[in-house]
Amino acid sequence: MESLRPQSGCGPPADLMQRVRAPELMDRPEADRAQLWKSLEDLAVVNLLLGGRSTAVRLVLDLASKVSHRPVKILDVGTGGADIPRRLVVQARKRGVAVSITASDIHPATLQFARAATARIPEIAVQAADALHLPFGDGSYDIVTSYTTLHHFDRSEAAKVLSEMVRVARTAVVVTDLSRSAAALAGANLLAATLWRYHPITRHDGPISVRAAFTPEELLQLAREVTSGDAIVRRHPLFRLSLVIAKGGAAA
């Protein structure tokens, strides 16, 4: 794990310094449900094996443990298959931290998957919500989080999403996502040609997600544009980034 510092020397090729966002198949309303659900399962495996899930869960629960009341109210924006909320509940129970999680998304078939996956987890409620216009009051959740969601939006939309997350959060915002780099793109292309070869949505969306991801510097600049709160961007192994925005005296 590395906090953001000015970088010098060799970097990714010039073309990768420019963010390129293209439509992802999983975002399309008409996406085949069976293929979409398979892609959500693929993402859960990647999140587990490449460490992104553990990073996100640790960051959220470290902040949750400092909240004085129980249950700690958490909103997950763009929850996908609710992989992160499910793991949050498992780890929160181990820590003895009571949580109440709203897992939100806008895609109907994705919401169906998330509801099925969380049907027996009382701490999680799945709700339809547009990340650009969250239907929740100011400060209505202790912690607002998103995982590999921000790169799905163009820059102005990403700023709006982050602004909405800050508005709804009372204590902190935690964003975790991919980090754009030549090495990350090479890894995504390799997976697309091998492990995801017969998974149409995942094969298509993996490399596109990397090209649409933000660099650490871009993510920090985005945070500075939407909030005056303390914001820290960190690099994590295997091409992951985290952004923590502290509010109300929370420690970032």
Side-chain angles (χ1 to χ4, degrees), residues 16 27 41 77 109 118 154 180 188 204 211 218 230 236 238:
L16 277 177
D27 293 334
E41 292 172 351
V77 177
T118 61
D154 65 34
R180 188 174 79 248
H204 175 273
R211 292 302 304 264
E218 290 168 347
D230 293 334
H236 300 274
L238 299 175

Side-chain angles (χ1 to χ4, degrees), residues 200-218:
I201 293 180
T202 313
R203 182 184 68 233
H204 175 273
D205 288 356
I208 284 178
S209 295
V210 174
R211 292 302 304 264
F214 294 94
T215 64
E217 294 79 9
E218 290 168 347

Side-chain angles (χ1 to χ4, degrees), residues 225-240:
E225 291 176 8
V226 303
T227 181
S228 59
D230 293 334
I232 295 178
V233 171
R234 293 185 176 93
R235 297 176 176 87
H236 300 274
L238 299 175
F239 320 117
R240 301 285 172 156

Side-chain angles (χ1 to χ4, degrees), residues 106-118:
I106 197 170
H107 196 292
T110 297
L111 287 165
Q112 289 177 346
F113 182 100
R115 289 189 175 108
T118 61

Side-chain angles (χ1 to χ4, degrees), residues 40 43-48 52-53 57 76 79-89 103 113-114 117-118 124 147:
L40 292 171
L43 291 177
V45 172
V46 170
N47 294 341
L48 171 63
R53 186 180 75 176
V57 169
D76 187 42
T79 197
D83 178 43
I84 299 302
R86 284 182 277 154
R87 191 60 185 173
L88 278 170
V89 169
F113 182 100
T118 61
I124 301 175
Y147 182 81

Side-chain angles (χ1 to χ4, degrees), residues 117-227:
T118 61
R120 297 185 180 182
I121 307 176
E123 292 97 329
I124 301 175
V126 177
Q127 181 172 338
D130 183 351
L132 291 165
H133 305 282
L134 292 174
F136 311 110
D138 297 358
S140 54
Y141 287 88
D142 297 302
I143 300 169
V144 180
T145 185
S146 72
Y147 182 81
T148 61
T149 297
L150 208 60
H151 73 262
H152 287 261
F153 299 91
D154 65 34
R155 195 185 187 285
S156 62
E157 290 174 335
K160 174 62 174 173
V161 170
L162 192 55
S163 177
E164 280 288 276
M165 293 175 67
V166 170
R167 177 184 65 81
V168 173
R170 182 164 49 243
T171 299
V173 168
V174 178
V175 172
T176 46
D177 211 323
L178 305 170
S179 179
R180 188 174 79 248
S181 71
L185 183 59
N189 283 329
L190 177 62
L191 287 171
T194 55
L195 185 62
W196 299 334
R197 183 177 178 184
Y198 300 107
H199 304 176
I201 293 180
T202 313
R203 182 184 68 233
H204 175 273
D205 288 356
I208 284 178
S209 295
V210 174
R211 292 302 304 264
F214 294 94
T215 64
E217 294 79 9
E218 290 168 347
L219 188 57
L220 184 60
Q221 181 60 38
L222 202 64
R224 287 173 172 167
E225 291 176 8
V226 303
T227 181

